[in-house]
Amino acid sequence: MRAAVWHGRGDIRVEEVEEARPGPGEVKVAVAWCGISGTDVHEYTAGPIMIPTSPHPLTGAAAPLAMGHELSGVVSEVGPGVEGLAVGDRLACDSSLHCGACAACQAGAQHRCEQGGYLGLSRPGAFAEAICVPAYACFKLPAELEISLGALVEPLSVGVHAMRRGGVEPGSRVAVIGGGPIGLGAVQAARAFGARETFLVEPVPQRRALGERFGAIGLDPSACDLGAAGHAPDVVIECAGHPTSGPLAVRMLRPGGRAVVVALHEAAAELSFNEILFGEKELVGSVGRVARTDFPTVIDLLGRGALDAEAMITRRIGLDEIVAQGFEAMRDDRANQVKILVDPSC
Amino acid sequence: MRAAVWHGRGDIRVEEVEEARPGPGEVKVAVAWCGISGTDVHEYTAGPIMIPTSPHPLTGAAAPLAMGHELSGVVSEVGPGVEGLAVGDRLACDSSLHCGACAACQAGAQHRCEQGGYLGLSRPGAFAEAICVPAYACFKLPAELEISLGALVEPLSVGVHAMRRGGVEPGSRVAVIGGGPIGLGAVQAARAFGARETFLVEPVPQRRALGERFGAIGLDPSACDLGAAGHAPDVVIECAGHPTSGPLAVRMLRPGGRAVVVALHEAAAELSFNEILFGEKELVGSVGRVARTDFPTVIDLLGRGALDAEAMITRRIGLDEIVAQGFEAMRDDRANQVKILVDPSC
């Protein structure tokens, strides 16, 4: 079958690869759509970051490796020992892989597995006609949900997990820093969790406008004083990863409020521990998602129209276009590209 | 009456001051004992820090001002409108003053009052034969509790509040950074809250030994790798305020754990937001105490012998000795002095 394979930084090739069979506890999925994530673009422009160059401790895989981890598709084969899934089932799949044995897994926090990996980063991914996926990572889509929207379940679930980590509830005032795909998903999740008011802090006008379409109040960080009273949200969701945005998240909060770190940060930053102290503020991490709870929530919200995945999709392309129209568009046109979906069958 | 009055940095004078009458909602308390706090010593060595040199927004008071805010005593006069308190009642008093009108007060977080002040810092304090105290700050001591121990209720309540902010519960593994009076109180509070194991990170051997007397495992930060696995506590209580101790608190935590900032920090510090992210760690502030819940808890624990206040008291002195035997001993002999109590009547 054909797949988009990471060979090295700046070197992704669409080529023929061997089609695997599902192992015990796995299903094979005919990929319908797979989104290009920010992580994927990072691997293309600056990798290897997460892609292993020697065998991954959990999966044993290493580059060259088919990428792609935000997928929807249809079950085409069921491996040994799998119950509750059948050929023809329409799925969204979580890419997180876990060992099941470490302290985090034992405590039910598989998303923080000490040996954890990801489909499309730690073993072959879904920029391919087919992919093998652990059954625990498979979530059925309702018949009425257009299957391409299933490829948005994973990125949207990151926002839902952040709402849960932040304790967002009806009446909350929420600020999201950073209007990339994750931040825009968080804006939508905030509305779905009942936020009374949602701010989006984002310098790029097009992204701010999309956030406003999702009900946020756009704030240009270069044009307003974000630390000023008046905003002082209950919860700040940090999705930018900019050196100033972690400390900004804490500074913006009302006393007693909670800042949630969702973005990866390239360096440490100066934090005022006194701001944490005097305001009894809270700073917490939210890494990925808890698929067993966050995936069903997102699928339910999509089914009820409470999340608008379609508005996040800025382009649909075939596998042959994945580099020029996909990775490079994401890299070069951040203002206009949010989520590019790839159909690996064409 | 006689009082120890702050006139300026390094200038505390025992002198005659006018004795006030309790205003509406206040009682007058004949001070039995008042402890010297770290804050008091800071005002002596480096003030004015909290002591106002122009009228305080809440109290209208300014230096020169009688200090002292960790007090026990006996009600000697009841002001207009006070219910539930009578002459002769034995009390521990909270020093926190609040406006009752700001957003924090309205939300029940009077300890974070935007205009808040403190007895002995923002209006006359308890290094004096008598002090007027709002009735809301008065908590009766059981008859069997030796009244000098009542002067420890306030500093011990800071540790209790930190346990609540940290979510310490039976079975928790807790590390306390810093073995000053607040940190040693936190060690005791951890045991009282059912911690399975409590570590005290403290370089001074005498303080470490006192922590060990309270059931902690002493760790010398210069002699062991605190970031190493094996400790990885559920909760870290940061009571040192050292430039490295905030980031250390986060680094030490197990994934999913919670660090509680109790100490004042003189400067911002470099924090790895990725450590917060990947471990889904939590960093929260704990400022002072919530008197209406934390004072009764401490009084109950003292009454049951679950907190050992007596072991924290390293010296009892009279008012005339307060500078040489009190403030200067606290400043110069940190290794051996924990809590010095002053009896203003002699």
Side-chain angles (χ1 to χ4, degrees):
Chain A
M1 65 173 180
R2 292 193 319 142
V5 176
W6 188 94
H7 283 265
R9 186 180 305 174
D11 182 10
I12 291 176
R13 306 176 201 164
V14 176
E15 62 191 16
E16 201 64 27
V17 299
E18 201 176 336
E19 195 162 337
R21 297 289 305 274
E26 294 183 352
V27 298
K28 186 155 128 182
V29 176
V31 179
W33 293 94
C34 185
I36 302 176
S37 79
T39 303
D40 294 334
V41 178
H42 257 82
E43 295 289 349
Y44 178 64
T45 60
I49 299 165
M50 296 175 72
I51 289 181
T53 51
S54 59
H56 187 276
L58 183 63
T59 68
L65 195 78
M67 296 189 77
H69 63 97
E70 298 180 349
L71 74 138
S72 62
V74 178
V75 176
S76 62
E77 188 178 347
V78 176
V82 173
E83 290 180 8
L85 291 171
V87 171
D89 282 347
R90 301 161 74 250
L91 303 177
C93 299
D94 178 41
S95 66
S96 317
L97 305 167
H98 58 261
C99 73
C102 69
C105 284
Q106 294 289 316
Q110 291 86 353
H111 66 301
R112 298 198 308 255
C113 172
E114 291 159 22
Q115 290 210 312
Y118 297 91
L119 298 174
L121 291 164
S122 324
R123 66 180 246 188
F127 294 138
E129 294 174 60
I131 181 175
C132 292
V133 182
Y136 64 69
C138 295
F139 296 84
K140 292 182 197 173
L141 295 172
E144 66 276 15
L145 197 71
E146 208 278 292
I147 198 162
S148 68
L149 304 188
L152 275 288
V153 175
E154 176 164 311
L156 289 170
S157 71
V158 176
V160 163
H161 185 51
M163 296 305 120
R164 291 186 160 135
R165 291 287 295 154
V168 173
E169 57 176 20
S172 295
R173 298 174 73 247
V174 178
V176 176
I177 301 178
I182 298 298
L184 289 165
V187 164
Q188 291 205 55
R191 191 181 52 176
F193 273 65
R196 177 160 57 95
E197 212 167 32
T198 305
F199 302 98
L200 175 62
V201 179
E202 167 59 55
V204 177
Q206 294 95 322
R207 295 195 157 203
R208 220 161 49 230
L210 191 49
E212 287 166 356
R213 179 170 160 192
F214 296 142
I217 298 161
L219 297 176
D220 180 353
S222 65
C224 65
D225 178 5
L226 295 166
H231 302 127
D234 302 305
V235 182
V236 178
I237 311 290
E238 205 302 272
C239 301
H242 188 271
T244 63
S245 56
L248 173 64
V250 174
R251 196 162 65 252
M252 283 184 78
L253 279 180
R254 72 156 169 80
R258 178 174 266 219
V260 183
V261 182
V262 176
L264 190 66
H265 287 246
E266 288 183 6
E270 287 270 317
L271 179 73
S272 163
F273 283 78
N274 282 351
E275 271 184 34
I276 296 281
L277 171 66
F278 286 118
E280 292 198 327
K281 295 181 177 182
E282 308 193 348
L283 176 67
V284 309
S286 179
V287 67
R289 64 253 144 216
V290 176
R292 70 174 181 279
T293 52
D294 298 328
F295 262 58
T297 298
V298 171
I299 291 169
D300 172 60
L301 291 171
L302 284 172
R304 291 191 282 123
L307 292 175
D308 184 354
E310 185 62 49
M312 309 268 285
I313 302 168
T314 48
R315 187 177 279 179
R316 285 177 165 87
I317 60 176
L319 196 60
D320 284 331
E321 304 167 291
I322 195 168
V323 174
Q325 299 300 314
F327 282 86
E328 295 186 350
M330 289 282 284
R331 180 192 64 194
D332 300 335
D333 189 16
R334 285 175 43 86
N336 294 301
Q337 295 301 335
V338 179
K339 189 52 69 184
I340 298 176
L341 294 191
V342 179
D343 175 354
S345 71
C346 66
Chain B
M1 65 172 181
R2 292 193 319 142
V5 176
W6 188 95
H7 284 265
R9 185 181 306 173
D11 182 9
I12 291 176
R13 305 177 202 165
V14 176
E15 60 192 15
E16 200 65 27
V17 299
E18 202 177 337
E19 196 163 335
R21 297 290 305 275
E26 294 183 353
V27 298
K28 188 155 127 182
V29 176
V31 178
W33 293 94
C34 184
I36 301 176
S37 79
T39 303
D40 294 334
V41 178
H42 258 80
E43 294 290 347
Y44 178 65
T45 59
I49 299 164
M50 297 175 72
I51 289 181
T53 51
S54 58
H56 187 277
L58 182 62
T59 68
L65 195 79
M67 296 189 78
H69 63 97
E70 297 181 349
L71 75 138
S72 61
V74 178
V75 177
S76 61
E77 187 178 348
V78 177
V82 172
E83 291 180 9
L85 291 172
V87 171
D89 281 347
R90 300 161 76 251
L91 302 177
C93 299
D94 178 40
S95 66
S96 318
L97 305 167
H98 57 262
C99 73
C102 70
C105 284
Q106 294 288 317
Q110 290 85 351
H111 66 302
R112 298 199 308 256
C113 173
E114 293 160 20
Q115 290 211 310
Y118 297 90
L119 298 175
L121 291 164
S122 324
R123 66 178 245 187
F127 294 138
E129 294 174 58
I131 181 175
C132 292
V133 182
Y136 63 70
C138 294
F139 296 83
K140 292 182 198 173
L141 295 173
E144 67 276 14
L145 198 70
E146 208 278 293
I147 198 161
S148 68
L149 304 187
L152 275 288
V153 175
E154 177 165 311
L156 288 169
S157 71
V158 175
V160 163
H161 185 51
M163 295 306 119
R164 292 186 159 134
R165 292 287 295 155
V168 173
E169 57 177 19
S172 296
R173 296 175 73 249
V174 178
V176 175
I177 302 177
I182 297 298
L184 289 166
V187 164
Q188 291 206 56
R191 191 181 53 176
F193 273 67
R196 176 159 59 95
E197 211 166 33
T198 303
F199 302 99
L200 174 62
V201 179
E202 167 60 54
V204 176
Q206 294 95 322
R207 296 195 157 205
R208 220 161 48 231
L210 192 48
E212 287 166 356
R213 179 169 159 191
F214 297 143
I217 298 161
L219 298 174
D220 179 354
S222 66
C224 64
D225 178 6
L226 295 167
H231 301 127
D234 303 304
V235 182
V236 179
I237 311 289
E238 204 300 272
C239 302
H242 189 271
T244 62
S245 56
L248 172 65
V250 173
R251 194 161 67 252
M252 282 184 79
L253 278 180
R254 71 156 168 81
R258 178 173 267 219
V260 182
V261 182
V262 175
L264 190 66
H265 286 247
E266 288 184 5
E270 287 270 315
L271 180 74
S272 163
F273 283 78
N274 282 352
E275 270 184 35
I276 296 281
L277 172 66
F278 287 117
E280 291 198 328
K281 294 181 177 183
E282 308 193 347
L283 176 66
V284 309
S286 180
V287 66
R289 64 253 144 217
V290 176
R292 69 173 181 280
T293 51
D294 299 328
F295 261 58
T297 299
V298 171
I299 291 169
D300 172 61
L301 291 170
L302 284 172
R304 291 193 281 125
L307 293 175
D308 183 354
E310 186 61 49
M312 308 268 284
I313 301 168
T314 47
R315 186 177 281 179
R316 286 177 166 87
I317 60 176
L319 195 61
D320 284 331
E321 305 166 290
I322 194 168
V323 174
Q325 299 300 313
F327 283 87
E328 294 186 351
M330 289 282 285
R331 180 192 66 195
D332 300 334
D333 189 16
R334 285 174 45 84
N336 293 302
Q337 294 302 335
V338 179
K339 187 55 68 185
I340 298 176
L341 294 191
V342 179
D343 175 353
S345 71
C346 65

